[in-house]
Each structure stands twice: as C-alpha cells, then as structure tokens.
C-alpha cells in the first residue's frame, strides 16, 4: 500500500509562478525522495533529503522535511512549461532494503 | 555512463499467458528493484534483488517472481496473466548500499487482453 498522500492531486499554474506540492507519510524513514515522471515514462530522481535534514535546495527545487509531522514539501520556483509532469514523493523506510514507498503523486501543468 | 535498460518497451499478452521482462542496471550497481504502476494502485514495490539474492518482497501474489544474474541483470516473470496485471513495470538500479537515490528505466508497458 502507498505510504501516504500527496496534495494537491493536480496543480495548474502559469509559467514563472511557483509550484508547491505536499507529501505525508506514515512510518519512520531514512530519507524522502522526490521523482518526476513525464507522460507515463520512467521516473527521474530529483532530490533526496535525509531524516536528519530539514531543508535542501537543488537549482530551482527546494524541499523541506518535518519528521515530527511526517510531511514534506517540494517547491519549484519560476516554473517552466517543461516542468509539466507528475511528481511523486517516495520514502525509504528505516530498516528497509532499497524499498521505496510512493505517494499518489501530483500532476503539475505549467501553461506558457 | 549508460542508463538503466528495460526490454521490451511494449508488450501485449493474452490472459493466462506468462511474460518475462528484463532490466539491465547501471554498470557497477548491484541492486535492482521492480515496481508496478497502475492508475488505480499507483506505484507499488514488487521486489528487490542484490547480488543475486532477493532481499525484499512486496505484497504481490506468487505469480510474480524475479531473479538476478551474476552480471546484475534482472528479470521478472508473471505467470498466468490476468487483466489486472496490465501496467507499467519499472525497474530501479542502485549501488545497493542504501541511503541514496535510484535510477529508473523507461519501463515496460504490459497490456493483457
């Protein structure tokens, strides 16, 4: 079963705007990762945040992690049409061997 | 370096048949894990192999099986196919030591008719 939920399920914005997606999970984790998927193709790893980290940046991406609330957020700044995709959070559970538990995903549409 | 290669890209099978999917991980990576993606259930973990040993298994029936070869290439097999097995099957490659990100292949789209 899926680890948790993501919201919103869908997000539609204009180019240049920021997009924020949220993810909740249920168990103790080693790390939380975000992936992008374009049109039912493979997943692309975006960023990983460890359980002892609170915030991480990579280019236009900013990820936060609140382990007390078991939640994370992904912020994409200055969105581009090319950012249109589905975004998934995935948790790597404590004690688990290379087993990712995925959220349901957020479908992001960025309009030119 | 080459990415993760999954073959075939598309497959159409009939109910009751069996199917074998292949995944070649990134050179040097010893772990291959498999996921099933469907519109209804989302992305679900199937199993993970490291150095030819299954280390972890998801909650799927015994019709789903896999193996890993000495060169780290992995295959998954689904026997007695059901309509509900129609899905995108993704494999992920990693060094296997845990704690890092994964590199996914482009997937195999299986349609059962």
């Amino acid at each position: 079963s899926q680890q948790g939920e993501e919201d919103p399920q869908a997000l539609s914005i204009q180019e240049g705007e920021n997009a924020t997606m949220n993810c909740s999970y249920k168990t103790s984790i080693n790390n939380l990762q975000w992936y992008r998927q374009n049109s039912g193709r493979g997943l692309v790893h975006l960023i990983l945040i460890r359980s002892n980290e609170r915030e991480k940046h990579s280019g236009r991406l900013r990820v936060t992690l609140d382990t007390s609330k078991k939640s994370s957020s992904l912020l994409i700044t200055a969105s581009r049409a090319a950012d249109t995709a589905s975004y998934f959070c995935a948790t790597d559970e404590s004690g688990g061997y290379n087993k990712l538990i995925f959220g349901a995903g957020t479908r992001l549409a960025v309009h030119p | 370096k080459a990415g993760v290669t999954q073959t075939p890209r598309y497959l159409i099978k009939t109910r009751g048949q069996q199917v074998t999917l292949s995944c070649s991980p990134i050179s040097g990576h010893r772990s291959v894990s498999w996921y099933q993606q469907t519109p209804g259930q989302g992305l679900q973990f199937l199993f993970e192999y490291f150095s030819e040993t299954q280390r972890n298994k998801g909650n799927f029936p015994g019709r789903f099986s896999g193996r890993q070869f000495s060169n780290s290439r992995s295959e998954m097999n689904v026997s007695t196919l059901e309509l509900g097995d129609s899905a995108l099957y993704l494999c992920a490659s990693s060094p296997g030591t845990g704690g890092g990100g994964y590199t996914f292949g482009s997937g195999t789209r299986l349609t059962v008719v």
Side-chain angles (χ1 to χ4, degrees):
Chain A
S1 61
Q2 291 170 350
Q3 167 74 284
E5 299 177 0
E6 291 182 57
D7 77 271
Q9 289 187 337
L11 184 58
S12 181
I13 60 174
Q14 297 295 125
E15 263 191 332
E17 294 180 338
N18 295 341
T20 300
M21 295 160 243
N22 302 296
C23 165
S24 63
Y25 59 92
K26 298 175 182 175
T27 63
S28 296
I29 62 172
N30 283 325
N31 61 68
L32 186 144
Q33 306 175 30
W34 286 89
Y35 289 83
R36 184 186 73 223
Q37 185 178 43
N38 290 84
S39 300
R41 298 180 66 87
L43 297 165
V44 175
H45 180 258
L46 295 175
I47 193 167
L48 178 153
I49 186 166
R50 302 190 189 285
S51 60
N52 61 353
E53 297 176 310
R54 292 297 167 258
E55 186 171 316
K56 201 162 184 180
H57 297 255
S58 176
R60 295 184 296 112
L61 306 179
R62 171 179 170 255
V63 170
T64 61
L65 178 65
D66 187 336
T67 53
S68 66
K69 295 181 179 178
K70 291 186 166 53
S71 67
S72 174
S73 68
L74 171 69
L75 168 68
I76 305 174
T77 60
S79 295
R80 306 165 181 168
D83 295 327
T84 295
S86 290
Y87 292 81
F88 295 89
C89 69
T91 52
D92 205 339
E93 294 181 332
S94 300
Y97 280 119
N98 284 21
K99 175 183 177 181
L100 291 177
I101 307 297
F102 283 88
T106 293
R107 294 188 311 279
L108 173 66
V110 183
H111 302 284
Chain B
K1 56 185 176 182
V4 180
T5 303
Q6 288 190 247
T7 56
R9 288 293 308 276
Y10 302 93
L11 208 47
I12 300 175
K13 289 286 187 179
T14 304
R15 271 182 303 175
Q17 288 186 314
Q18 74 166 16
V19 67
T20 300
L21 312 182
S22 178
C23 174
S24 293
I26 289 172
S27 178
H29 283 189
R30 297 164 67 188
S31 170
V32 174
S33 46
W34 289 87
Y35 293 83
Q36 180 197 65
Q37 185 177 28
T38 60
Q41 298 299 315
L43 282 152
Q44 295 189 88
F45 173 79
L46 280 156
F47 29 66
E48 187 255 358
Y49 287 87
F50 178 81
S51 292
E52 303 178 65
T53 300
Q54 186 183 88
R55 290 198 299 190
N56 213 337
K57 188 177 189 304
N59 188 25
F60 278 83
R63 300 185 297 107
F64 292 80
S65 62
R67 60 178 175 168
Q68 186 179 35
F69 302 94
S70 59
N71 62 357
S72 293
R73 188 178 71 88
S74 177
E75 290 181 346
M76 68 163 281
N77 184 78
V78 187
S79 62
T80 319
L81 284 165
E82 301 177 357
L83 295 179
D85 298 332
S86 295
L88 179 67
Y89 290 88
L90 295 162
C91 79
S93 165
S94 77
T97 50
Y102 300 79
T103 304
F104 280 80
S106 296
T108 294
R109 173 75 63 183
L110 172 65
T111 301
V112 182
V113 297

